[in-house]
Amino acid sequence: MQVNWESIIQATYEKVKDLDDKGVVASYIPELVHVNPDSFGVHLSTIDHIQYGVGHFDVKFSIQSIAKVLSLSLAYQIVGDKIWTRLGVEPSGTAFNSLVQLEADKGIPRNPFINAGAIVISDILLSHLKNPKDDFLSFIRSIANNPELDYSSRIAASEKSAGFLNVALCNFIKSFGNIHNDPSDVLDFYFDLCSLEMSCRELSELFLFLANNGRHLSTNKPILTSSQCKRVNALMQTCGFYDESGEFAFKVGLPGKSGVGGGIVAVHPNQYTIAVWSPKLNGKGNSYKGMRFLEAFTTESQLSIF
Ligand code: GLN
């Protein structure tokens, strides 16, 4: 099917741009407030090498929890299916930073995309990488062919100064034996991962391997096996938006992942990735306009997976 991406994205952007944005910029990480709240960018990358961006698609922002997909991908590549002895694959139905299920579940987080799960993934990476911070950055730079991707030490330090809930999560999981390293090292690495900054263009390019059966688009080298890629996409579909995951599947119909910096990336296997950024968040911690844009986009293009 020949798709006129440009006109669909442009028309959808115009429609959503002037909506009354009911969201609020995240402030529990103090540095995240220093952003233009009205920023709004979109970028699409297809596996046929079509690229199209509109609005603030080239402005870097804090990707926060979107990094959880990348840390899962590297940990999955390194340890394979043994990873699922340390965490589950079920939607939590709770907020991203919730502590409540961990006691009943004996320190096994429900999935890798809530904070508890991503903290366990950080612990796994710490156990397997020589220089975790550098090695992880090399991993994403090589996937993206983009040496400019980097952490923000400013955002990481800001989250560290206020991340008491994550400290509690990490120590609680440690008490059940599901954190093997020193909690402060695990948290430092976790805050670094969350501080990654990139633009919608960079984000949509980086995620193309998940639309390409786990293979690097230009070299065709496997980053994940096709079965692992299927599973990462399945987890994004079922768990990518915390207690709004059902709603995202219902309205947008794509695997995706959000972050409290206001970014969302969504993947249509074998077709395209699309990244949206608008910093004001709805009550569930997901970008208000980002959700609205993607809903209108898949409805207009008829290109959801369903
Ligand atoms: N770094 C953030 C936190 O741990 C990530 C949360 C998010 O983006 N949903 O709270």
Side-chain angles (χ1 to χ4, degrees), residues 9 13 16 53 62 118 125 141 153 185-186 212 214 219 228 238 242-243 254 258-259 300:
I9 290 174
Y13 185 86
V16 176
S62 185
L125 288 175
R141 284 178 175 175
S153 51
D185 294 339
V186 176
N212 193 39
T219 65
Q228 289 173 331
T238 52
Y242 321 110
D243 44 345
L254 291 174
S258 64
E300 197 61 39

Side-chain angles (χ1 to χ4, degrees), residues 154-165:
R154 187 175 48 83
I155 303 265
S158 176
E159 183 164 14
K160 190 173 174 177
S161 74
F164 304 111
L165 196 41

